[in-house]
Amino acid sequence: MTVTPQRGLVRRPATAEAFSTRRYPAGEALAPWIAYFWTVGWDRGDAGPLESTVISFPSMHLTVEWGEPGAVRHGHPMPATLVHGLISRVFRVTLTGRGGVVGARFRADGFHAWTGLEAAAFTDRVVPAGDLLGPAVGALHLGSGPDTDPAEQLTRLRTELERTRPATVPAGVGPVVDLMATDPGLVRVDQVARSVALSERTLQRRFRREVGIGPKWVLSRFRLQEAALALERDPAVDLAVLAPRLGFYDQAHLTNTFVEMLGETPAAYAARAAATPSTTSPTAARGLGAGSGAGR
C-alpha cells in the first residue's frame, strides 16, 4: 500500500514526515457500515511531542491504539480500544515517543446502523469500545506495545468486525451526507432537504440520531475543509473570491469560521502554508478524502 494524502489534516506539509498514514478498503462484507480502515504510526525519537490537528469528517471511528508504557491519549491509558464520537470542532492529538493506531472509519450513519445507539450521545466523546461493541472488540488492544505491527492489528480488527457485523444493511442518511460532500451547489440545509424529499425538521432529527450533529454543521465542515485545502495549494488565493465559491456568505464569514475552528485567520494559515514546501496532491474530489492526524 502507498501512502495516500489525507484530506482534512491541518498544515499537512509541515507534518508530512512526522508520521506515516495509510488507508485500506473496507471490503464487501463491511462496506455498508465502514467507509475504510486506516493506520497511523510514528516514532518521534528525540524530537519531542508533536500536536497534529485535523478538520475531521462527520464520522465516528473505532480505534485500536498503543504507545510507550504509561502513555495516555484522549484521556485513556494506552493501549486501548476506543470509540470516537464525531468531533464538532477540530481533532487534536499529541504524538509522543513511539506509537500507532489502527482504525475503522464508520460511514456517516454507520455507527448508528451498527449499534442502534443515538450518535449524538457520543459527539465530542471518546469512550472504551467494549461496552458498545462487545468484549471481543473491546479487548483487541491487549498485548499491544510500541513495537506492535499495524498490519497484524488491522487483520484482527477486520476479522472481528466481519464476525460481528449486523444482519441488516443500513438505510440511513449516509447517502445524503455523500451528496452534500460531492455537490458544491448544496450550500443550505433547505436545498439539501428538498433534494432528498425530506422536511428540514426530519432531516435535522435524523442527522442528530444517525450522524451525531445537524446538517448545517456538516455543510460548514465540508466548506472549511475545501478552504484549508485551497489555501495550501495556493496561499495567494483571493479570499474574497474563494469565500462565495465555497458557500460562505463573504470573506468575513470564512474568516470567522476559520478562527472559530482553527484559532487563526485564513491569512495566517496561508502564510504557514507558503513557508513550507507542499507535499500534498494538487487534486482532490470534494469531500471524498479524510483528514488524519489519526486517519480521520
Side-chain angles (χ1 to χ4, degrees):
M1 284 283 180
T2 57
V3 176
T4 302
Q6 299 291 299
R7 192 185 195 120
L9 177 61
V10 173
R11 290 184 287 273
R12 60 177 63 75
T15 60
E17 302 303 320
F19 49 82
S20 61
T21 177
R22 291 177 171 82
R23 186 186 302 176
Y24 304 88
E28 184 177 354
L30 294 172
W33 304 273
I34 305 296
Y36 53 78
F37 290 95
W38 50 269
T39 64
V40 174
W42 63 89
D43 185 347
R44 297 294 296 151
D46 298 327
L50 172 75
E51 183 181 82
S52 179
T53 304
V54 182
I55 307 171
S56 55
F57 271 59
S59 303
M60 295 181 64
H61 293 254
L62 170 65
T63 63
V64 183
E65 312 196 19
W66 59 91
E68 301 281 2
V72 175
R73 205 176 303 142
H74 317 300
H76 299 273
M78 295 290 103
T81 306
L82 304 170
V83 169
H84 295 247
L86 179 146
I87 305 298
S88 65
R89 296 185 68 82
V90 292
F91 176 83
R92 288 187 170 90
V93 61
T94 300
L95 309 180
T96 59
R98 290 178 298 163
V101 184
V102 168
R105 195 193 102 173
F106 285 97
R107 294 194 178 278
D109 57 357
F111 177 82
H112 171 76
W114 189 292
T115 65
L117 297 173
E118 181 100 1
F122 301 97
T123 296
D124 292 321
R125 297 177 60 202
V126 181
V127 299
D131 294 342
L132 306 177
L133 298 170
V137 171
L140 285 170
H141 63 278
L142 296 180
S144 298
D147 297 319
T148 292
D149 179 4
E152 180 179 334
Q153 191 63 268
L154 175 59
T155 297
R156 294 179 60 197
L157 175 59
R158 182 191 296 274
T159 299
E160 189 56 37
L161 290 180
E162 288 179 349
R163 187 185 70 82
T164 59
R165 71 185 186 275
T168 57
V169 173
V173 297
V176 183
V177 176
D178 292 342
L179 181 64
M180 295 162 76
T182 55
D183 186 348
L186 294 177
V187 297
R188 300 193 315 273
V189 174
D190 65 304
Q191 293 175 312
V192 177
R194 286 197 301 271
S195 71
V196 296
L198 291 174
S199 70
E200 288 187 53
R201 186 171 183 177
T202 296
L203 195 67
Q204 294 275 2
R205 184 175 65 252
R206 291 191 60 181
F207 263 66
R208 283 194 57 81
R209 182 177 72 240
E210 300 174 28
V211 181
I213 207 161
K216 182 178 180 180
W217 180 96
V218 174
L219 285 171
S220 179
R221 178 53 51 99
F222 286 140
R223 292 199 301 265
L224 183 62
Q225 289 175 330
E226 285 285 346
L229 190 60
L231 289 168
E232 291 179 13
R233 291 189 301 209
D234 179 12
V237 65
D238 187 338
L239 295 177
V241 175
L242 178 66
R245 178 166 66 82
L246 296 182
F248 293 94
Y249 298 122
D250 51 27
Q251 183 175 341
H253 184 203
L254 169 60
T255 297
N256 290 340
T257 302
F258 235 82
V259 171
E260 179 185 2
M261 289 291 177
L262 299 178
E264 64 183 344
T265 65
Y269 188 94
R272 289 176 181 268
T276 309
S278 178
T279 59
T280 303
S281 167
T283 59
R286 185 177 192 262
L288 295 183
S292 177
R296 309 187 76 83

